[in-house]
């Protein structure tokens, strides 16, 4: 039975068990509203909420503004976060009025293309900053509702959860199972291929607030501006929008997560584990005989919802623990997930464990980006170049700095040094020479990799 925002005696699971969320820093008014929404959603998970949009007031938008990144590129209006903040209260007040009255009309997103490792590009939609704040405000409401029912198998774009937790789980399971098959899945054009009608049907189960639903529909139909031409796609959500990752999680929660846990797992002979980060996921299967059944059922399930597995990027491979007599690393039986290659190798104690190293395509992409940054900053003062490259390295270390990946981190640091040295030599009209460049590195050393983040298995798993 549909219901609105009110009391509720159910215990909220909105606050993540794995760490503090942004709610910790909210004002008391916003925190109370978030908890009330979560409690109401958790009281009866079969009910759809029909009246929650009224929580989006000026305080709510202030919190949405605080959570919105300020360093992103401007949208079609060319207005930056700094310009929006120049008259913040008036801008937020006007936005709150339009949202409550239902007169807010999102502008089209500005499309840009981001290079991918295989030579192609990924289209990204850039909303205006005001639209980012509005999307964040609605995403806060939806997050409070859906965090009460999202499963632990999903790690992407959720409070208190991260890619490193997914990587840890992916290392733990095969290590303790010893017998394991991996289905490495890739959904072809997922964000561009979501059927709007099917997405609305999924949302109907939990959210029927007219204001929120109209806003979501308007974002889906806002259109894309590219080279002065406006196009309005009839399917998909533009990558780059604040609301898109959450809508993807909502869609795949019904289409994939619940189906795997409630329908597939009980029918298998062995164990099964789904690990999903947004639209990237792998399936770990204990029994070899279950693999073809799951592959066939998975393809049919996704086709039912207008999605398709990529024929060249989806595969099943044996990932059993090697025999103890084998001495070399099993890099021929490896797969990539979340930018790292996963393979078997002996630990220092001689036990076979799953290790992770930077994937080749990600390493190459990062190296090309470093080279381009050195080229752009070639004529800037040395201190400016050093600061920019130090930030680039620390960001790389922050994600890829995990146990067992030290060699790749050292190689990447060497690559950055080499690109920097060649750029400086080109600026000075000289040939690159390490001996001469070492004096610069001694005076302005680039940061070394910090102690790696351990994702080693801490305890057995079922």
């Amino acid at each position: 039975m549909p219901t609105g925002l009110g009391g509720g005696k159910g215990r909220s699971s909105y606050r993540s068990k794995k760490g503090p969320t942004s709610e910790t820093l909210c004002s008391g008014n916003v925190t109370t509203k978030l908890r009330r929404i979560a409690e109401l959603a958790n009281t009866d998970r079969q009910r759809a909420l029909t009246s929650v949009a009224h929580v989006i007031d000026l305080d709510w938008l202030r919190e949405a503004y605080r959570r919105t990144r300020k360093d992103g590129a401007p949208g079609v209006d060319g207005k930056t976060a700094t310009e929006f903040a120049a008259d913040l209260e008036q801008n937020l007040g006007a936005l709150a009025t339009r949202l409550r009255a239902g007169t807010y009309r999102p502008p089209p997103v500005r499309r840009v293309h981001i290079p991918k490792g295989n030579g192609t590009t990924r289209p990204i939609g850039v909303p205006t900053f005001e639209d980012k704040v509005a999307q964040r405000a609605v995403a806060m409401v939806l997050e409070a509702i859906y965090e009460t029912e999202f499963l632990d198998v999903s790690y992407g774009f959720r409070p208190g959860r991260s890619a490193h937790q997914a990587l840890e789980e992916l290392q733990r399971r095969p290590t303790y199972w010893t017998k394991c098959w991996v289905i490495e899945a890739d959904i072809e054009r997922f964000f561009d291929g979501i059927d709007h009608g099917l997405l609305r049907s999924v949302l109907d189960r939990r959210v029927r607030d007219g204001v929120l639903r109209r806003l979501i529909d308007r974002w889906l139909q806002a259109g894309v501006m590219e080279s002065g031409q406006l196009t309005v796609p009839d399917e998909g959500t533009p990558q780059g929008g604040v609301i898109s990752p959450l809508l993807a999680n909502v869609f795949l929660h019904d289409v994939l997560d619940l189906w795997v846990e409630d329908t597939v797992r009980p029918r298998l002979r062995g164990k099964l584990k789904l690990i999903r980060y947004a639209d990237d996921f792998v399936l770990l299967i204990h029994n070899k005989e279950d693999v073809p059944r799951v592959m066939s059922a998975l393809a049919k399930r996704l086709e039912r919802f207008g999605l398709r597995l990529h024929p060249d990027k989806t595969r099943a491979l044996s990932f059993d623990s090697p025999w103890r007599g084998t001495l070399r690393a099993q890099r021929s039986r490896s797969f990539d997930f979340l930018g790292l290659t996963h393979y078997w190798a002996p630990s220092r104690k001689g036990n076979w464990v799953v290790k992770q190293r930077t994937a080749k395509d990600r390493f190459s992409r990062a190296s090309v980006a470093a080279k381009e940054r050195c080229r752009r900053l070639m004529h800037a003062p040395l201190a400016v170049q050093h600061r920019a490259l130090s930030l680039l390295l620390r960001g790389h270390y922050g994600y890829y700095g995990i146990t067992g990946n030290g060699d790749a981190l050292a190689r990447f640091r060497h690559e950055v040094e080499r690109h920097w040295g060649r750029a400086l030599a080109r600026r000075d009209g000289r040939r690159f020479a390490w001996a001469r460049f070492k004096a610069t590195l001694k005076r302005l050393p680039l940061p070394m990799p910090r102690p790696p983040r351990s994702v080693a298995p801490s305890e057995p798993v079922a």
Side-chain angles (χ1 to χ4, degrees):
M1 176 179 177
T3 185
L5 178 59
K9 298 181 181 180
R11 182 178 179 181
S12 168
S13 60
Y14 170 69
R15 188 185 295 273
S16 172
K17 298 178 181 179
K18 296 190 177 182
T21 70
S22 298
E23 182 187 346
T24 309
L25 303 175
C26 290
S27 68
N29 183 28
V30 175
T31 300
T32 300
K33 290 178 179 178
L34 285 170
R35 288 177 177 169
R36 288 180 63 197
I37 295 172
E39 288 168 0
L40 183 62
N42 198 45
T43 300
D44 186 349
R45 298 190 180 184
Q46 302 304 316
R47 290 185 177 184
L49 305 185
T50 59
S51 180
V52 287
H54 61 270
V55 301
I56 304 178
D57 55 13
L58 188 56
D59 282 345
W60 193 276
L61 286 177
R62 289 192 187 104
E63 176 60 23
Y65 169 80
R66 186 185 69 81
R67 298 189 187 189
T68 303
R69 284 185 56 184
K70 313 299 189 298
D71 57 349
V76 293
D77 63 352
K79 194 172 185 178
T80 65
T82 302
E83 293 171 320
F84 186 86
D87 197 357
L88 182 61
E89 289 300 307
Q90 182 173 340
N91 287 331
L92 292 179
L95 179 59
T97 299
R98 284 179 287 154
L99 288 174
R100 284 197 302 268
T103 59
Y104 177 73
R105 297 281 178 177
V109 298
R110 181 173 65 88
R111 173 163 286 175
V112 296
H113 292 269
I114 306 298
K116 297 174 65 175
N118 57 6
T120 61
T121 61
R122 182 191 304 275
I124 300 293
V126 182
T128 64
F129 185 78
E130 180 187 60
D131 197 45
K132 291 178 184 178
V133 175
Q135 289 188 35
R136 178 64 64 191
V138 173
M140 287 164 58
V141 179
L142 296 180
E143 185 180 90
I145 296 170
Y146 281 99
E147 277 298 317
T148 64
E149 61 179 84
F150 280 163
L151 304 182
D152 286 341
V153 299
S154 66
Y155 294 86
F157 305 100
R158 294 183 56 191
R161 301 177 75 80
S162 68
H164 288 108
Q165 292 172 348
L167 293 171
E168 178 182 358
E169 187 69 12
L170 187 51
Q171 188 181 52
R172 286 157 50 95
R173 295 280 169 171
T175 299
Y176 283 109
W177 283 5
T178 66
K179 294 291 185 180
C180 181
W181 278 73
V182 174
I183 294 180
E184 182 186 3
D186 183 272
I187 302 177
E188 192 172 15
R189 298 178 63 251
F190 170 71
F191 282 94
D192 295 331
I194 297 179
D195 184 277
H196 290 175
L198 293 173
L199 176 59
R200 293 186 186 101
S201 298
V202 170
L203 288 168
D204 280 342
R205 190 174 62 83
R206 295 297 276 150
V207 181
R208 296 184 190 172
D209 182 290
V211 174
L212 293 185
R213 295 299 300 273
R214 281 193 296 273
L215 279 170
I216 293 172
D217 283 345
R218 288 171 183 173
W219 279 315
L220 293 175
Q221 300 168 0
V224 176
M225 183 70 71
E226 183 175 11
S227 302
Q229 298 293 321
L230 176 65
T231 58
V232 182
D234 54 4
E235 61 181 10
T237 62
Q239 296 184 62
V242 176
I243 199 78
S244 293
L246 181 53
L247 293 178
N249 271 340
V250 170
F251 193 64
L252 286 178
H253 171 69
D254 270 39
V255 172
L256 185 65
D257 301 355
L258 290 177
W259 175 72
V260 168
E261 295 300 314
D262 298 340
T263 304
V264 178
R265 182 195 296 276
R267 290 171 168 79
L268 300 186
R269 297 180 180 181
K271 293 175 284 190
L272 168 71
K273 179 63 180 179
L274 167 67
I275 300 174
R276 181 175 67 82
Y277 190 93
D279 61 318
D280 295 327
F281 67 94
V282 294
L283 285 162
L284 307 182
I285 301 175
H286 189 258
N287 193 321
K288 178 181 178 180
E289 296 178 1
D290 291 329
V291 175
R293 298 171 57 203
V294 173
M295 284 283 285
S296 175
L298 177 62
K300 292 177 181 178
R301 174 69 176 181
L302 294 179
E303 287 176 4
R304 178 183 169 188
F305 288 89
L307 302 174
R308 180 173 178 262
L309 288 172
H310 197 294
D312 300 326
K313 298 180 180 179
T314 301
R315 61 172 181 149
L317 71 151
S318 172
F319 204 62
D320 294 348
S321 175
W323 294 103
R324 289 187 177 273
T326 307
L327 298 178
R328 63 185 182 85
Q330 301 290 298
R331 298 198 176 187
S332 59
R333 295 189 306 121
S334 62
F335 65 95
D336 293 349
F337 183 63
L338 297 182
L340 290 112
T341 299
H342 306 262
Y343 64 100
W344 285 99
S347 68
R348 291 183 178 179
K349 295 182 179 180
N351 300 318
W352 282 101
V353 297
V354 176
K355 289 192 175 182
Q356 299 155 328
R357 70 178 188 274
T358 308
K360 289 182 180 179
D361 62 335
R362 295 298 181 93
F363 187 95
S364 299
R365 191 187 312 175
S367 179
V368 170
K371 182 178 180 179
E372 177 61 21
R373 181 166 299 190
C374 290
R375 187 193 66 80
R376 291 200 314 266
L377 296 174
M378 183 169 58
H379 298 289
L382 277 180
V384 173
Q385 296 184 41
H386 176 260
R387 183 165 56 251
L389 295 178
S390 296
L391 288 173
L392 182 147
L393 280 170
R394 291 192 181 100
H396 188 87
Y397 298 157
Y399 184 79
Y400 294 102
I402 60 177
T403 301
N405 199 33
D407 289 346
L409 297 183
R411 284 193 295 112
F412 182 70
R413 182 177 182 271
H414 178 75
E415 284 284 292
V416 174
E417 289 178 342
R418 184 172 63 86
H419 292 319
W420 191 21
R422 290 184 180 278
L424 292 179
R426 181 180 178 186
R427 182 181 72 174
D428 297 336
R430 301 180 179 181
R431 294 188 62 182
F432 173 65
W434 270 111
R436 185 169 58 244
F437 182 57
K438 283 182 179 179
T440 302
L441 288 177
K442 188 174 182 180
R443 183 163 51 92
L444 295 171
L446 293 174
M448 298 289 291
R450 62 186 184 184
R453 175 188 290 101
S454 176
V455 295
S458 55
E459 58 184 13
V461 294

